[in-house]
Amino acid sequence: MPELPEVEVSRLGLLPELAGRIITGAVTRTPKLRYPLPRNLGKRLTGARLANIRRRAKYLLFDIDHLSGDRTATLILHLGMSGSLRIVTPDTPPQIHDHVDIAFGDKVLRLRDPRRFGALLWHDNTTPIEDHPLINVLGVEPLEDLFDGAWLHGHLRKRSGPIKPVLMDSHMVVGIGNIYAAESLFLSGISPLRSAQKISAARCDTLADAVKQTLSAAVAAGGSSVRDYVHSDGGAGCFQLQCAVYERAGEPCLGCGKPVRKIRQAGRSTFYCPNCQK
DNA sequence: AGGTTGACCTGTCAGC
DNA sequence: TGCTGACAGGTCAACC
């Protein structure tokens, strides 16, 4: 799925097209994705305004105002494993797996999600969005200053398991999925098998920097388009072309030339170089 | 309590 | 050609 960079690239692509615009209609074509979709979405949204699009972890938060009675609401969107957002013209016929449309006059925001692991939830802003049960369990944002080597070292103390699944634990730090966990560990020279609590303070500094560098580079490259992911204009990201280890099993390591190894950890594929990562 | 596994769902590809 | 199984960017609930 989209990890943090893909979600952020989506947000940056949608913002100039849609922010501030009035919603002219909305359609849902399936009763549920991961959770049931908001009912009567068209009725609720028509005439309201999309004020802003924010991101928290891998969630996009669509701030809606000018609702009847001058209320505000937030649409919480998660792209799951295979979701993507596109802007299309109103006469573009929906294809299979195009589950939601939100229309803005001459532009339509369309959600496609073949595997339907995504989510779209309505949050009326009678309570802060930070208190929402899906949001209030989320850990620190990796690109914020709070996330650094000292913070990471403090949090890894209690984790005896291998570092790679820990790095992907959104209750600790958000936004790092399978691709960027592998790439960050390669960049920092740390084995994905190493016990999290046995990583020194100095190497935690290196790892925190590697995470920030990897995610930032991926945003700059427009994200990774490994299978389904595309931008709001239908174009592909190109970070996957810079991947050092992800999906490169058996190919020569870019550091030492020895073959990249693929193993399984916590049910997910892990790619790494046993020679460069200790 | 932390770690692992299965479940959710569809599409694709390798192997027979 | 057609079937079967494995696997795919996430995350939650259920188990040890």
Side-chain angles (χ1 to χ4, degrees):
Chain A
M1 135 34 305
E3 304 182 31
L4 185 151
E6 292 74 36
V7 178
E8 181 64 10
V9 167
S10 293
R11 188 183 79 85
L12 294 172
L14 298 177
L15 208 46
E17 301 279 334
L18 302 180
R21 298 200 52 169
I22 301 298
I23 297 166
T24 54
V27 182
T28 58
R29 302 190 186 84
T30 184
K32 69 183 281 278
L33 296 173
R34 185 187 221 323
Y35 306 108
L37 292 178
R39 298 204 289 159
N40 305 319
L41 194 64
K43 199 171 177 180
R44 292 192 210 206
L45 285 176
T46 301
R49 188 183 75 131
L50 175 61
N52 195 11
I53 308 172
R54 294 178 288 153
R55 181 187 59 73
R56 173 72 172 104
K58 296 171 188 168
Y59 292 93
L60 286 175
L61 306 176
F62 292 81
D63 292 321
I64 311 293
D65 63 13
H66 295 186
L67 291 160
S68 63
D70 210 25
R71 291 170 300 121
T72 70
T74 305
L75 274 174
I76 303 172
L77 176 80
H78 197 293
L79 294 173
M81 203 82 137
S82 59
S84 59
L85 290 166
R86 269 168 252 228
I87 292 176
V88 299
T89 55
D91 60 352
T92 309
Q95 296 178 30
I96 188 169
H97 307 313
D98 285 344
H99 304 304
V100 181
D101 282 357
I102 299 176
F104 299 80
D106 61 342
K107 289 175 184 170
V108 174
L109 176 63
R110 180 163 285 172
L111 171 64
R112 176 174 301 177
D113 185 6
R115 291 179 71 184
R116 291 195 256 143
F117 288 166
L120 181 66
L121 295 152
W122 182 274
H123 179 258
D124 67 48
N125 289 342
T126 51
T127 56
I129 190 75
E130 294 77 20
D131 294 344
H132 189 281
L134 290 177
I135 306 294
N136 70 7
V137 295
L138 296 171
V140 67
E141 288 284 337
L143 294 177
E144 288 184 357
D145 290 343
L146 175 60
F147 178 75
D148 63 10
W151 184 96
L152 189 58
H153 190 239
H155 279 78
L156 295 187
R157 299 186 99 83
K158 340 158 198 173
R159 309 294 294 263
S160 60
I163 180 62
K164 196 246 187 176
V166 173
L167 213 49
M168 293 173 66
D169 180 359
S170 63
H171 301 105
M172 184 184 81
V173 55
V174 301
I176 307 170
N178 209 29
I179 296 178
Y180 301 114
E183 293 300 313
S184 299
L185 286 167
F186 175 80
L187 188 58
S188 52
I190 296 170
S191 167
L193 296 161
R194 175 167 291 276
S195 167
Q197 63 191 186
K198 290 185 179 163
I199 298 175
S200 69
R203 297 189 89 196
C204 283
D205 286 342
T206 307
L207 179 53
D209 285 348
V211 166
K212 287 174 191 281
Q213 194 180 321
T214 302
L215 295 176
S216 302
V219 173
S224 299
S225 294
V226 177
R227 286 169 192 86
D228 305 322
Y229 174 76
V230 291
H231 298 167
S232 53
D233 62 4
C238 59
F239 185 79
Q240 71 280 4
L241 302 175
Q242 324 176 10
C243 281
V245 287
Y246 185 76
E247 295 236 305
R248 293 194 63 244
E251 294 176 38
C253 168
L254 301 183
C256 71
K258 294 191 174 155
V260 170
R261 184 176 296 174
K262 178 181 182 176
I263 60 171
R264 205 144 187 92
Q265 285 182 295
R268 313 295 299 275
S269 290
T270 295
F271 300 85
Y272 74 111
C273 173
N275 189 46
C276 295
Q277 294 175 253
K278 303 290 181 188

